[in-house]
Amino acid sequence: MIALDWIVGITSWASIIAGSAFMVIGAIGTLRFPDFWSRVHAVSVTDSAGMLLLTLGMCIQGGFTLITVKLVLIGIFLFITGPTATHAVANAALVSGFLPRGADRTIVSGEKKEIIKPKATSRKRKPSKAKK
Amino acid sequence: MRHHLLLRVITKLLVGPIILFALYVQFHGDYSPGGGFQAGVIFAVAFILFGIVFGLTKVKQVFPPWIVHKLAALGVLIYAGTGIYSLMLGSTFLNYGAFTPAHPEHGQHWGILIVELGVGITVAAVMVAIYYAFAARPPVINDEEW
């Protein structure tokens, strides 16, 4: 049984530490990336991965109990809602005309085809104090 | 509103489980963290989410404002009625132990359940009423401009 304890401990803590690392990397990316689209990318992808690894590690710690069932439900809920929230934010930004750098958006409605060019003013950034 | 396909599908998927979770928090409140206030807010969130995604007219068909306002009063009535009932039994206000004098623990169990139910109904109704009041304002940005 000591060997089983070791296996459970090592796998659960490895997954918890990996999930925490994903979360920290996502937070750093949110703070440090230059514009909106790369920030959304950083926070959404790492958030899902980190959440899954953290719940997996806690499930292994919990064993076959009610806690594990609740953790699995929480994991499913967050796995559905996290990407949906990111989609809503990114969709709202795209529809309101905030396009990624160098991209244009084509709206096809019936016969009509409309191409939206990125606005030059939409990426105005605060002047950074860092040395170039 | 037709282009929010993903949000509509996910909302339909989530409204049921959110209401179920609200009922779990409501009736499991004496064993685990939770209670009437949190359950009411979670219950209202299901309707607010539905209203945000599908529009105010749809959610008002599901949960009409006149029912919301009646429910807000009904919850307070349940809460105060429990207290008045214990007064009538010759005890102090909201003293649940007087319901079953032989076993005060049973009376306390049922009393806290009924009072929390009243709190939950009022909080849910007031939250939905606040959402209706805010969402019924004329929009600052027209829908066509999105």
Side-chain angles (χ1 to χ4, degrees), chain B residues 10-146:
Chain B
I10 297 295
T11 304
K12 280 180 191 171
L13 204 70
L14 285 183
V15 163
I18 288 173
I19 292 176
L20 198 65
F21 181 62
L23 293 176
Y24 167 75
V25 171
Q26 171 83 55
F27 292 111
H28 213 254
D30 36 358
Y31 299 111
S32 66
F37 204 92
Q38 293 90 327
V41 172
I42 296 168
F43 196 84
V45 157
F47 289 97
I48 291 171
L49 177 69
F50 190 84
I52 287 171
V53 175
F54 288 94
L56 195 63
T57 52
K58 284 275 174 61
V59 75
K60 277 185 176 175
Q61 286 171 1
V62 177
F63 203 17
W66 66 271
I67 290 183
V68 173
H69 296 141
K70 299 285 188 296
L71 281 179
L74 178 73
V76 181
L77 190 70
I78 291 172
Y79 190 107
T82 314
I84 299 291
Y85 181 61
S86 69
L87 271 185
M88 285 175 165
L89 290 175
S91 184
T92 49
F93 189 68
L94 285 177
N95 188 359
Y96 317 125
F99 293 168
T100 50
H103 299 281
E105 294 84 11
H106 288 301
Q108 281 162 6
H109 184 78
W110 284 103
I112 200 90
L113 210 66
I114 295 167
V115 162
E116 289 290 324
L117 184 68
V119 172
I121 290 173
T122 296
V123 169
V126 168
M127 285 291 158
V128 174
I130 290 171
Y131 169 68
Y132 283 173
F134 276 120
R137 292 180 311 159
V140 182
I141 303 170
N142 289 325
D143 279 343
E144 289 78 29
E145 290 172 9
W146 281 94

